[in-house]
Amino acid sequence: KPSQKETLAQSDQVIELHANIDDQSGEQLGFVLENLIEVGVYDAYFTPVFMKKNRPAYQLTVIFKPAMLDQVCELVLQQTSSFGVRWHQLQRQLMQRSFTKVMTKFGELSLKIGQKGQFKKVAVEYDEAARIARKNGLSVAEVMQQALQVYDKKSMR
Amino acid sequence: KPSQKETLAQSDQVIELHANIDDQSGEQLGFVLENLIEVGVYDAYFTPVFMKKNRPAYQLTVIFKPAMLDQVCELVLQQTSSFGVRWHQLQRQLMQRSFTKVMTKFGELSLKIGQKGQFKKVAVEYDEAARIARKNGLSVAEVMQQALQVYDKKSMR
Amino acid sequence: KPSQKETLAQSDQVIELHANIDDQSGEQLGFVLENLIEVGVYDAYFTPVFMKKNRPAYQLTVIFKPAMLDQVCELVLQQTSSFGVRWHQLQRQLMQRSFTKVMTKFGELSLKIGQKGQFKKVAVEYDEAARIARKNGLSVAEVMQQALQVYDKKSMR
Amino acid sequence: KPSQKETLAQSDQVIELHANIDDQSGEQLGFVLENLIEVGVYDAYFTPVFMKKNRPAYQLTVIFKPAMLDQVCELVLQQTSSFGVRWHQLQRQLMQRSFTKVMTKFGELSLKIGQKGQFKKVAVEYDEAARIARKNGLSVAEVMQQALQVYDKKSMR
Amino acid sequence: KPSQKETLAQSDQVIELHANIDDQSGEQLGFVLENLIEVGVYDAYFTPVFMKKNRPAYQLTVIFKPAMLDQVCELVLQQTSSFGVRWHQLQRQLMQRSFTKVMTKFGELSLKIGQKGQFKKVAVEYDEAARIARKNGLSVAEVMQQALQVYDKKSMR
Amino acid sequence: KPSQKETLAQSDQVIELHANIDDQSGEQLGFVLENLIEVGVYDAYFTPVFMKKNRPAYQLTVIFKPAMLDQVCELVLQQTSSFGVRWHQLQRQLMQRSFTKVMTKFGELSLKIGQKGQFKKVAVEYDEAARIARKNGLSVAEVMQQALQVYDKKSMR
Ligand code: NI
Ligand code: NI
Ligand code: NI
Ligand code: NI
Ligand code: NI
Ligand code: NI
Ligand code: NI
Ligand code: NI
Ligand code: NI
Ligand code: NI
Ligand code: NI
Ligand code: NI
């Protein structure tokens, strides 16, 4: 049975910050996304939206912990063409998460396990699966599928 | 003039719950949508978003009454690949709604009528219009158009 | 019964030209769209697409008659950031179209009528409906609905 | 080892038909999609596009075998608000497909197997997995995962 | 050095109002967008969303100052097919903005300058750039580029 | 004046290959995109589409030179969940392109110059601009703007 460092279900608050961007290219927005991920926000993404004057545009959303508010505001105002940002606070609930490793025929892979009451969910760590897939000329799907099978045999679930 | 069971304009609060999903297929997400509608949420839908690592993904949004919070959290965490959900509360205003029926040459159809001050709005019940359209080899547009005309003649609006 | 200048169903060929744009803003792309419509293409629109390097981008599509190929190529290469365009030819089928006018309580409105065998379709001219809606403080839906009813009474369909 | 009715890789031609729709509601378009699927097209879907006059619109795409051209043209012109359709022919390549069944602890499930040279791909039949998931209060992902594991054990791949 | 009317960074509150629209055409929604912009909301846009019953739909978002709440509710309920709206309040931060003009070889152009601490951002007024581009047969990009260069030479930044 | 290796305008043919994907996650699709770019296709991208059974899905498009057809078919069939691909050939026109370098206060940057008749277009090489922006804590927009100004001074355009 895999060793598991169980963590309690978390309930906390996150900030969702938005900015609408219609005067910057996708090329530059890809750069902004990378910078936001690097400073440690939980998530950042673009939603295509239809604006006035026939403009295809994007709504940037950034999700992060309240302590990062000033840093994220500054980064978004500095890196994007937007002259303003708006935000609100949301309640968040996370599953109990734990981490484990499995050894497949392609090599070792990390798994994230989520638990809520009776229900259990397992996700294979993408970056490792991608590296192994690339090295072995496989699809990510095949590698992930392998890891899940080894896990299931081990945990007899 | 059609019989009408007038209802007062409502102002209440709804919860909007979000989860970002980048590791589950559209096929499985269609299943999640059906399950959410079945348990009685007001609405549920997916928004295409652009995430890190070149990932096309979806933001799931579920709108429901505050009393359903635990049930919806559980369903989303059990049915999707997401390890967390976030939500916030919004104020909602609904038009005064009433319901009536009209008899068209294709059969009886239900109408929903919304009123706000002087302004009135009429919508034809989709499921009935679709059934009639299918039976008669018509488009839904034709059937709805018929129902609206019969209503307008009756109400002399 | 409305006077109608019947035209025959057309079958012809159109060119669909595409360019992918990831280094130009939505603001500038709205301008390009207007210019394309002005020179007389059949249609022009943007599709949001997910490109490499985390880039949200747009695919521009322009549909026009083959004789305009050089003009459209030039306009797209001059007005957008793209260094190339690609195109292919498609077969097109149009319904038999005729035009008529109806007098509603809000004023006169133009209708486009399409016919294919037994089937008939009527569309209210948007620009006129929008002008009348704006002048009378109505929604476009209300004005269009009125025009369709007057037409239906006239044509006894 | 599962019984398999091997079929040869197919190379054939399909027609892709398009129509841009800016004057019909999503409610009605859902109806059109169902009707297209019912008459047996290979696929039908909507792409959100940004059109002139600030219009959010949809491009309908229908993919089908050349013999259905007249039928599909008629259905699209009758059921949508569009006055014209355009189409072109594409070359298509399909993997060698075979079908098999596996018995899981939740019941029997059908699998589709694709082969191209050395490479093999397995997909669980969605409708069956959805029915079983619904009956057992599971996610579709869990049911599919089970079926794939049983298959892998059998085929020793 | 350009004359500049500096304004202080603003922090205030805005309302974000949403309505999901699945039974109205894009043609009519373009009209709604124009009306909302005309009454003075900060922004209004449509997001394509995937709803139940195979419906492609739109989420309308309107952003405006709290004092406009009643007016915007009424306009949305009157102009769209929606029977209800929902909204929440967000915190907003704007950069310090000032305005200036530059004289290019194509004519005078207005610039908006944003400042936050050390960081400065300059945007060319779109409507003026578009008018000049149209008159001179240029792309908006070329005109904006010219204006930014003249500004940079002046401000020696 | 910058040294320029002028190249003639090209007119050639490209293949556009499509596959619809509704049973694979965005996480895995990001991997596919990277692999396609690595083998040297001209472009690859995902378009969000609305499919039957309430499925949010993606249309994969890959653009490449005709000689790569077998390689791309194989890669797409091996890396995605799709059991088939379809493609067609398009005519392509490229601007005359040349390359040059400019020295800015932040370092050297490469430019791509496109020419078609009288019209000239300049693009700053993104990867270099991004590296410089990251090193200097700037936005990509600022770095690109600098490079364009240096180029314009040199070429007196
Ligand atoms: Ni939000
Ligand atoms: Ni929300
Ligand atoms: Ni993930
Ligand atoms: Ni909120
Ligand atoms: Ni095309
Ligand atoms: Ni096509
Ligand atoms: Ni129209
Ligand atoms: Ni909101
Ligand atoms: Ni509805
Ligand atoms: Ni194509
Ligand atoms: Ni499938
Ligand atoms: Ni073609």
Side-chain angles (χ1 to χ4, degrees):
Chain A
K1 185 165 172 287
S3 69
Q4 294 180 359
K5 182 165 62 79
E6 296 286 336
T7 64
L8 290 177
Q10 286 177 316
S11 180
D12 60 5
Q13 308 219 311
V14 294
I15 291 185
E16 217 181 75
L17 177 144
H18 303 292
N20 291 7
I21 300 177
D22 67 358
D23 48 2
Q24 196 163 22
S25 71
E27 195 178 65
Q28 293 178 3
L29 293 176
F31 182 81
V32 173
L33 194 60
E34 286 164 28
N35 285 355
L36 284 163
I37 299 298
E38 257 166 49
V39 300
V41 302
Y42 293 135
D43 214 344
Y45 53 94
F46 294 101
T47 308
V49 296
F50 301 71
M51 287 178 66
K52 64 174 186 283
K53 300 185 189 178
N54 300 314
R55 287 180 195 169
Y58 298 105
Q59 184 193 269
L60 167 65
T61 299
V62 193
I63 301 171
F64 50 90
K65 61 165 170 275
M68 288 184 74
L69 180 57
D70 284 351
Q71 185 185 6
V72 171
C73 278
E74 204 158 317
L75 199 156
V76 171
L77 290 174
Q78 197 238 319
Q79 297 271 334
T80 74
S81 62
S82 188
F83 280 78
V85 292
R86 60 191 193 281
W87 67 86
H88 56 140
Q89 202 166 280
L90 292 91
Q91 197 68 26
R92 188 172 66 151
Q93 197 187 16
L94 293 169
M95 294 179 90
Q96 268 186 298
R97 285 150 302 148
S98 59
F99 300 89
T100 188
K101 281 175 192 301
V102 288
M103 178 57 71
T104 72
K105 58 184 168 187
F106 306 121
E108 201 182 49
L109 278 156
S110 300
L111 304 179
K112 181 161 73 166
I113 297 152
Q115 198 138 4
K116 186 172 163 67
Q118 295 288 49
F119 180 69
K120 201 194 219 173
K121 172 189 296 183
V122 185
V124 183
E125 167 50 38
Y126 169 78
D127 289 320
E128 293 175 15
R131 203 184 48 242
I132 284 178
R134 221 180 292 271
K135 211 169 58 188
N136 295 276
L138 300 165
S139 70
V140 176
E142 290 168 294
V143 175
M144 289 185 162
Q145 173 66 8
Q146 265 298 317
L148 291 178
Q149 279 190 34
V150 174
Y151 175 78
D152 276 4
K153 244 179 261 172
K154 267 185 164 165
S155 61
M156 305 288 162
R157 65 164 180 171
Chain B
K1 188 162 172 292
S3 70
Q4 294 180 358
K5 179 165 63 78
E6 296 287 336
T7 64
L8 291 178
Q10 287 176 314
S11 180
D12 61 4
Q13 308 221 311
V14 295
I15 292 185
E16 218 181 74
L17 177 143
H18 302 293
N20 290 9
I21 300 176
D22 67 358
D23 47 3
Q24 194 163 25
S25 71
E27 198 177 64
Q28 293 177 3
L29 293 177
F31 181 81
V32 174
L33 194 59
E34 285 163 29
N35 285 355
L36 285 164
I37 298 299
E38 257 166 49
V39 299
V41 303
Y42 293 135
D43 214 344
Y45 54 95
F46 294 101
T47 308
V49 297
F50 301 70
M51 287 178 69
K52 62 175 188 284
K53 301 187 189 175
N54 299 315
R55 287 180 195 167
Y58 297 105
Q59 184 193 269
L60 166 65
T61 299
V62 193
I63 302 171
F64 51 89
K65 60 164 172 277
M68 288 183 75
L69 180 57
D70 284 350
Q71 185 185 6
V72 172
C73 277
E74 205 158 318
L75 198 155
V76 171
L77 289 174
Q78 198 238 318
Q79 297 271 335
T80 74
S81 62
S82 188
F83 280 77
V85 292
R86 60 191 192 280
W87 68 85
H88 56 141
Q89 200 165 281
L90 291 92
Q91 196 68 27
R92 186 171 67 151
Q93 197 186 17
L94 292 169
M95 294 180 89
Q96 270 186 295
R97 286 149 302 148
S98 59
F99 300 89
T100 187
K101 280 174 191 300
V102 289
M103 178 55 73
T104 71
K105 57 184 168 187
F106 305 120
E108 200 181 49
L109 279 155
S110 300
L111 304 180
K112 180 162 74 166
I113 297 152
Q115 197 137 8
K116 184 171 164 69
Q118 296 287 51
F119 179 71
K120 201 192 219 172
K121 173 189 294 180
V122 185
V124 183
E125 165 51 37
Y126 169 77
D127 289 321
E128 294 175 13
R131 202 183 51 240
I132 284 179
R134 220 179 292 270
K135 209 170 58 188
N136 294 274
L138 300 166
S139 71
V140 178
E142 290 168 293
V143 175
M144 289 185 163
Q145 173 67 11
Q146 265 299 316
L148 292 179
Q149 279 190 33
V150 173
Y151 175 78
D152 277 4
K153 245 180 258 171
K154 265 183 166 166
S155 62
M156 305 289 162
R157 66 162 182 172
Chain C
K1 187 163 173 291
S3 69
Q4 295 180 358
K5 181 165 62 80
E6 296 288 337
T7 64
L8 289 178
Q10 287 175 316
S11 180
D12 60 4
Q13 307 220 312
V14 295
I15 292 184
E16 219 180 74
L17 177 143
H18 302 292
N20 290 8
I21 300 176
D22 66 359
D23 49 1
Q24 194 163 22
S25 72
E27 194 177 68
Q28 293 177 5
L29 293 176
F31 181 81
V32 174
L33 194 59
E34 285 164 28
N35 285 356
L36 284 164
I37 299 298
E38 258 166 48
V39 300
V41 302
Y42 294 135
D43 213 344
Y45 53 94
F46 294 101
T47 308
V49 297
F50 301 71
M51 287 178 68
K52 63 175 187 282
K53 300 185 188 177
N54 300 313
R55 286 179 195 169
Y58 298 106
Q59 183 192 272
L60 167 65
T61 300
V62 194
I63 300 171
F64 51 90
K65 62 165 169 277
M68 288 183 75
L69 179 58
D70 283 350
Q71 186 186 5
V72 172
C73 278
E74 205 158 319
L75 198 156
V76 171
L77 290 174
Q78 198 239 318
Q79 298 271 334
T80 74
S81 62
S82 188
F83 280 77
V85 292
R86 61 190 191 281
W87 67 86
H88 56 140
Q89 201 166 280
L90 292 90
Q91 197 68 27
R92 187 171 67 151
Q93 197 186 18
L94 292 168
M95 294 179 88
Q96 270 186 295
R97 285 149 303 148
S98 59
F99 300 89
T100 189
K101 282 174 191 298
V102 289
M103 178 56 72
T104 72
K105 58 184 168 188
F106 306 121
E108 200 180 50
L109 279 156
S110 300
L111 304 180
K112 181 162 72 166
I113 297 152
Q115 197 137 7
K116 186 171 164 65
Q118 295 288 52
F119 180 69
K120 203 193 217 175
K121 173 190 295 180
V122 186
V124 184
E125 165 52 37
Y126 170 77
D127 290 319
E128 293 175 14
R131 202 183 51 242
I132 284 179
R134 220 180 291 272
K135 210 170 58 189
N136 294 275
L138 300 165
S139 70
V140 177
E142 291 168 293
V143 174
M144 289 184 163
Q145 173 67 10
Q146 264 299 315
L148 291 179
Q149 279 189 34
V150 174
Y151 175 78
D152 276 3
K153 244 179 262 172
K154 266 183 164 168
S155 60
M156 305 291 162
R157 64 164 182 172
Chain D
K1 188 165 172 290
S3 70
Q4 294 180 358
K5 181 166 62 80
E6 297 288 336
T7 65
L8 289 178
Q10 288 176 314
S11 181
D12 60 4
Q13 308 221 311
V14 294
I15 291 185
E16 216 180 76
L17 177 144
H18 303 293
N20 291 7
I21 301 177
D22 67 357
D23 47 4
Q24 194 163 23
S25 72
E27 197 176 65
Q28 294 177 3
L29 294 176
F31 181 82
V32 174
L33 194 59
E34 286 164 27
N35 285 355
L36 285 163
I37 298 298
E38 257 164 50
V39 299
V41 302
Y42 294 134
D43 213 344
Y45 53 94
F46 294 101
T47 308
V49 296
F50 301 71
M51 287 178 68
K52 64 175 186 283
K53 301 187 189 175
N54 299 314
R55 287 179 194 168
Y58 297 105
Q59 184 193 269
L60 166 64
T61 299
V62 193
I63 301 171
F64 51 89
K65 61 166 169 274
M68 289 183 74
L69 180 57
D70 284 350
Q71 186 185 6
V72 172
C73 278
E74 204 158 318
L75 199 156
V76 171
L77 290 174
Q78 197 238 318
Q79 297 270 334
T80 74
S81 61
S82 189
F83 280 76
V85 292
R86 59 191 193 281
W87 68 84
H88 56 140
Q89 201 165 283
L90 291 90
Q91 197 68 26
R92 187 171 68 151
Q93 197 187 17
L94 293 168
M95 294 179 90
Q96 270 186 296
R97 284 148 304 150
S98 59
F99 300 89
T100 189
K101 281 175 191 300
V102 288
M103 178 56 73
T104 72
K105 58 182 167 187
F106 306 122
E108 201 181 48
L109 279 156
S110 299
L111 304 180
K112 180 163 71 167
I113 298 152
Q115 196 136 7
K116 186 173 162 67
Q118 296 287 50
F119 180 71
K120 202 193 217 174
K121 172 189 295 181
V122 185
V124 184
E125 166 51 36
Y126 169 78
D127 289 321
E128 293 175 15
R131 202 184 49 242
I132 285 178
R134 220 180 292 272
K135 209 170 58 188
N136 295 275
L138 300 165
S139 69
V140 176
E142 290 169 293
V143 175
M144 290 185 163
Q145 173 67 9
Q146 265 298 317
L148 292 178
Q149 278 190 33
V150 174
Y151 175 77
D152 276 4
K153 244 178 261 171
K154 267 183 165 167
S155 60
M156 305 291 161
R157 64 163 182 172
Chain E
K1 187 165 172 290
S3 69
Q4 295 179 356
K5 180 165 62 78
E6 298 286 337
T7 65
L8 289 177
Q10 287 176 316
S11 180
D12 61 4
Q13 309 219 312
V14 295
I15 291 184
E16 218 180 75
L17 177 143
H18 302 293
N20 290 8
I21 300 175
D22 67 358
D23 48 2
Q24 196 163 23
S25 72
E27 197 177 65
Q28 293 177 5
L29 293 176
F31 181 82
V32 174
L33 193 60
E34 285 164 28
N35 286 355
L36 283 164
I37 299 299
E38 257 165 49
V39 301
V41 303
Y42 293 135
D43 214 344
Y45 54 95
F46 294 100
T47 308
V49 297
F50 301 70
M51 287 178 68
K52 63 175 187 282
K53 301 186 189 175
N54 300 314
R55 287 178 194 170
Y58 298 105
Q59 183 193 271
L60 167 64
T61 300
V62 194
I63 301 171
F64 50 89
K65 60 164 171 274
M68 288 183 76
L69 179 57
D70 285 350
Q71 186 185 5
V72 172
C73 278
E74 203 158 320
L75 199 156
V76 171
L77 290 174
Q78 197 238 319
Q79 297 272 333
T80 74
S81 62
S82 188
F83 280 77
V85 292
R86 60 191 193 280
W87 67 85
H88 57 140
Q89 200 165 282
L90 292 90
Q91 197 68 25
R92 187 172 66 152
Q93 197 187 16
L94 292 168
M95 295 180 90
Q96 269 185 298
R97 285 149 304 147
S98 59
F99 300 90
T100 187
K101 281 173 192 300
V102 288
M103 179 55 72
T104 71
K105 58 184 169 188
F106 306 121
E108 202 181 49
L109 279 155
S110 300
L111 304 180
K112 180 161 73 165
I113 297 152
Q115 197 138 7
K116 184 171 164 67
Q118 295 288 51
F119 180 70
K120 202 193 217 174
K121 172 190 295 181
V122 186
V124 184
E125 165 51 36
Y126 169 77
D127 289 321
E128 294 176 14
R131 203 184 49 241
I132 285 179
R134 220 180 292 270
K135 210 169 58 188
N136 294 274
L138 300 165
S139 70
V140 177
E142 289 169 294
V143 174
M144 289 185 163
Q145 174 67 9
Q146 264 298 317
L148 292 178
Q149 279 190 32
V150 174
Y151 175 77
D152 276 4
K153 245 180 259 172
K154 265 184 165 165
S155 61
M156 306 291 162
R157 67 162 180 172
Chain F
K1 186 162 174 289
S3 71
Q4 294 180 358
K5 181 165 62 79
E6 297 287 337
T7 64
L8 290 179
Q10 287 176 314
S11 180
D12 60 4
Q13 308 219 313
V14 295
I15 292 185
E16 220 181 73
L17 177 144
H18 303 292
N20 290 7
I21 300 175
D22 67 357
D23 48 3
Q24 194 163 23
S25 72
E27 197 176 66
Q28 294 177 4
L29 293 176
F31 181 81
V32 174
L33 194 59
E34 285 164 29
N35 285 357
L36 284 164
I37 298 298
E38 256 165 50
V39 300
V41 303
Y42 293 135
D43 214 345
Y45 53 94
F46 294 101
T47 308
V49 297
F50 301 70
M51 286 177 70
K52 63 176 187 283
K53 300 186 189 174
N54 299 315
R55 287 180 195 170
Y58 298 106
Q59 184 193 269
L60 166 64
T61 300
V62 193
I63 301 170
F64 51 89
K65 60 165 170 278
M68 289 184 74
L69 179 57
D70 284 350
Q71 186 186 5
V72 172
C73 278
E74 205 159 317
L75 199 156
V76 171
L77 290 174
Q78 196 238 319
Q79 298 271 335
T80 74
S81 62
S82 189
F83 280 76
V85 292
R86 61 192 191 280
W87 68 85
H88 56 140
Q89 201 166 282
L90 292 90
Q91 196 68 27
R92 187 171 67 151
Q93 198 188 15
L94 293 168
M95 295 180 89
Q96 269 186 297
R97 285 149 303 148
S98 60
F99 301 89
T100 188
K101 283 174 190 300
V102 288
M103 178 56 73
T104 71
K105 57 184 170 189
F106 306 122
E108 202 181 49
L109 278 156
S110 299
L111 304 180
K112 180 162 74 166
I113 297 152
Q115 198 137 8
K116 186 172 162 67
Q118 295 289 51
F119 179 70
K120 204 195 216 172
K121 171 190 294 180
V122 186
V124 184
E125 165 52 34
Y126 169 77
D127 289 320
E128 293 176 14
R131 204 184 50 241
I132 285 179
R134 221 179 291 270
K135 208 170 62 189
N136 294 274
L138 300 165
S139 69
V140 176
E142 290 169 293
V143 175
M144 288 186 163
Q145 173 67 10
Q146 265 299 316
L148 292 179
Q149 278 190 34
V150 173
Y151 175 77
D152 276 4
K153 245 180 256 170
K154 266 184 164 164
S155 61
M156 306 289 163
R157 65 162 182 172

